[in-house]
Amino acid sequence: MKKRLAKVTGIALVAAMVIGLAACGSSNDGAANDAAASAGAEAAGEIKLAEDGKLHMATNAAFPPYEMTTDDGGYTGIDVEIATAIADKLGLELVVDDMDFSATIAAVQSGKSDMVMAGMTVLPEREENINFTIPYQNAVQVVIVPEDSDIQTIDDLANDKMIGCQEGTTGYVYCSAPPEEDGYGEDHVLSYTNGAMAVQALIGGKIDAVVIDNQPAKEFVAVNEGLRILDTDFANEDYAIGIAKDNDALLNAVNGALEELIADGTVQSIIDKYITAE
């Protein structure tokens, strides 16, 4: 099994990235475009929004610590806080559209949501359907197994093991690929609506391992006894925000706001709030 650590590039450049955004026209969308200009992004055409004055974020709020629900029915997490800061810079109110992860890209394509921010990895096949902002976070995919599992390394997953993944995620894409493409084949992978369901299947002995992002993995292992994370990383990826291909003005505006939030340390402070340095 080949390592996938170089599958997504540009990881070390996130904090230093500055995209030059050229002015290609003017906008009539009032406050949103005025705010976009102040964020350093001159919109190429008119910003399209699902709802006037609001920024709708498609996500799957079962992916701690990036997006999760609160006891009072609200939403919190790294992605939610960064999205809120972006909306503030654009003079908009953030609205979280919680849905299955596999539905998030379609929600943006149809205009029901303005952007997808759901621990979304930049992949070529996704770039065929949506545009991505600059990355805002690097994430590592890992493998969860029972403490008494005979799976000791990633290579052991190829020994007729059944792997669980959240549907639509890069973990599922990687694992379900045929062996000649460094995967394990669809017959050896089961998909679940969210990571918590995959972990429960692991605990129940229905699968042998779960491939999922490192931070959610830590959360799941911390609250479920008898599980451990393999020492070797499965994949190394960049997270970015996805926006419809016909909405360049919003892409430029969000990029401008995100650049400022990275430059002034806001993004890192939000990440540090949820992820303690080891």
Side-chain angles (χ1 to χ4, degrees):
M1 183 72 184
K2 296 179 182 177
K3 295 296 291 300
R4 304 175 184 275
L5 300 184
K7 201 163 188 81
V8 183
T9 59
I11 294 163
L13 302 177
V14 175
M17 286 184 69
V18 177
I19 292 179
L21 301 171
C24 299
S26 61
S27 171
N28 298 317
D29 201 285
N33 287 300
D34 291 341
S38 69
E42 296 183 10
E46 189 170 333
I47 290 179
K48 302 173 185 178
L49 295 173
E51 186 178 2
D52 288 344
K54 297 182 179 180
L55 183 65
H56 280 256
M57 165 188 164
T59 195
N60 174 240
F63 195 62
Y66 291 93
E67 35 268 324
M68 46 204 167
T69 55
T70 60
D71 292 338
D72 61 1
Y75 301 95
T76 189
I78 293 171
D79 286 353
V80 176
E81 289 204 24
I82 294 175
T84 299
I86 290 171
D88 287 345
K89 278 192 172 290
L90 301 183
L92 301 170
E93 176 189 349
L94 181 71
V95 177
V96 175
D97 298 332
D98 187 17
M99 62 189 72
D100 289 348
F101 182 85
S102 58
T104 54
I105 290 179
V108 170
Q109 288 180 301
S110 68
K112 292 180 180 178
S113 298
D114 301 306
M115 65 183 194
V116 52
M117 198 170 181
M120 179 69 71
T121 304
V122 180
L123 291 176
E125 50 265 43
R126 289 176 178 162
E127 290 178 307
E128 293 177 3
N129 298 304
I130 55 175
N131 289 326
F132 281 99
T133 64
I134 61 173
Y136 62 89
Q137 167 70 332
N138 173 240
V140 175
Q141 292 229 345
V142 297
V143 181
I144 306 175
V145 297
E147 287 183 343
D148 59 356
S149 173
D150 61 352
I151 299 173
Q152 300 298 320
T153 69
I154 292 173
D155 291 339
D156 294 332
L157 292 175
N159 298 330
D160 251 359
K161 303 299 183 182
M162 186 61 69
I163 305 163
C165 305
Q166 182 176 348
E167 62 185 8
T169 62
T170 51
Y172 179 79
V173 172
Y174 296 156
C175 291
S176 62
E180 58 267 25
E181 295 179 13
D182 297 333
Y184 307 103
E186 293 184 352
D187 291 344
H188 293 279
V189 183
L190 290 176
S191 65
Y192 296 88
T193 302
N194 54 56
M197 292 178 65
V199 170
Q200 287 306 308
L202 178 64
I203 294 171
K206 297 179 180 178
I207 54 178
D208 300 301
V210 171
V211 173
I212 195 169
D213 289 54
N214 187 41
Q215 292 306 322
K218 290 180 179 178
E219 301 272 350
F220 291 134
V221 169
V223 297
N224 293 284
E225 292 185 5
L227 300 180
R228 61 184 172 90
I229 299 172
L230 295 187
D231 292 335
T232 307
D233 296 340
F234 185 82
N236 208 319
E237 308 168 324
D238 281 342
Y239 285 168
I241 302 169
I243 294 173
K245 282 188 171 293
D246 63 351
N247 205 352
D248 286 345
L250 180 60
L251 176 68
N252 291 343
V254 171
N255 256 330
L258 185 56
E259 285 172 359
E260 286 193 358
L261 293 168
I262 290 173
D264 68 15
T266 299
V267 167
Q268 191 59 52
S269 67
I270 292 171
I271 293 171
D272 290 343
K273 175 181 174 181
Y274 290 90
I275 301 176
T276 303
E278 296 180 77

